Amino acid sequence: MSAPVEQLQGTLHWGMRGEAARLAVVAWDGRGVDVYDEDGRYEYHLDIDTTERIGVSCWDGGERLWAWSPSGEHGACLTSDDQIKVWSLGDGPACVQSIEVPEETAAVLWGADGVLAAIGGFTLRFVRALTGDVLGDFVNGRDDEEGLAPVEDGDELHGVYTADTWPVRWGDLNLVKDAETAAAELT
């Protein structure tokens, strides 16, 4: 009887390209991303110095290092130097964009209209994946004597959170400065 093959630890991210499933495996030790087709055949390796900020919540979405575009033609990966690298993954891999993100960003999500969300404990930044244009940049948290603290269960929204604005959906946003202006926009 032989011992099982030791596999590199990492996070698994399924995506679709047309009708075909694809799998991106992000290595835990900063050794890049491997992409496989729906039959488990190796397609290619992306030489990315991936972030080592992977904790116990990487399985449930708290720390998501990779995001597939809805078409499966692109992927985005959080790197160790606080960037998101956007890759074209059509017929062959090519890095098409490098986007600076706030320090301690722990997740990247790909939304509608080519918009990425870079999510951290206190930060949320929306950027266009292929141009790097920042659409929104937010700092959230509970303000206390020692500065920003994580939002906790039971905290009330009014007077506790600090934020320039709150996003309501991805894509084009109509941002207002206060509740009175927002109420007028809704009527």
Side-chain angles (χ1 to χ4, degrees), residues 13-25 33-47 66 68 71-75 87-94:
H13 303 273
W14 286 100
M16 297 296 292
R17 182 177 178 204
E19 298 293 318
R22 300 176 93 180
L23 175 65
V25 180
V33 178
D34 289 322
V35 178
Y36 297 85
D37 70 12
E38 66 183 335
D39 297 318
R41 287 188 301 264
Y42 174 83
E43 288 186 335
Y44 35 77
H45 174 78
L46 306 177
D47 190 20
W66 178 268
W68 284 105
S71 68
E73 294 291 325
H74 292 86
W87 288 76
S88 173
L89 300 171
D91 297 326

Side-chain angles (χ1 to χ4, degrees), residues 6-10 25-29 31-32 34:
E6 190 172 323
Q7 296 187 7
L8 188 64
Q9 291 183 325
V25 180
V26 181
W28 283 32
D29 60 358
R31 290 180 30 195
D34 289 322

Side-chain angles (χ1 to χ4, degrees), residues 73-184:
E73 294 291 325
H74 292 86
C77 188
L78 188 59
T79 68
S80 63
D81 59 351
D82 294 317
Q83 291 188 358
I84 294 174
K85 299 286 187 182
V86 180
W87 288 76
S88 173
L89 300 171
D91 297 326
C95 185
V96 294
Q97 191 61 254
S98 294
I99 302 168
E100 297 290 326
V101 294
E103 189 175 335
E104 300 301 319
T105 295
V108 57
L109 301 174
W110 201 302
D113 299 325
V115 176
L116 295 175
I119 304 166
F122 301 104
T123 60
L124 175 61
R125 180 175 289 173
F126 293 96
V127 296
R128 293 246 180 249
L130 298 180
T131 65
D133 295 337
V134 176
L135 301 173
D137 209 0
F138 308 96
V139 177
N140 306 298
R142 187 169 48 85
D143 206 4
D144 63 12
E145 308 82 46
E146 298 177 19
L148 285 180
V151 175
E152 298 172 357
D153 289 339
D155 282 346
E156 294 179 23
L157 242 133
H158 182 69
V160 177
Y161 296 97
T162 59
D164 291 334
T165 54
W166 289 87
V168 294
R169 63 181 171 84
W170 294 17
D172 295 329
L173 299 176
N174 184 13
L175 302 178
V176 296
K177 291 291 183 189
D178 55 39
E180 186 176 295
T181 307

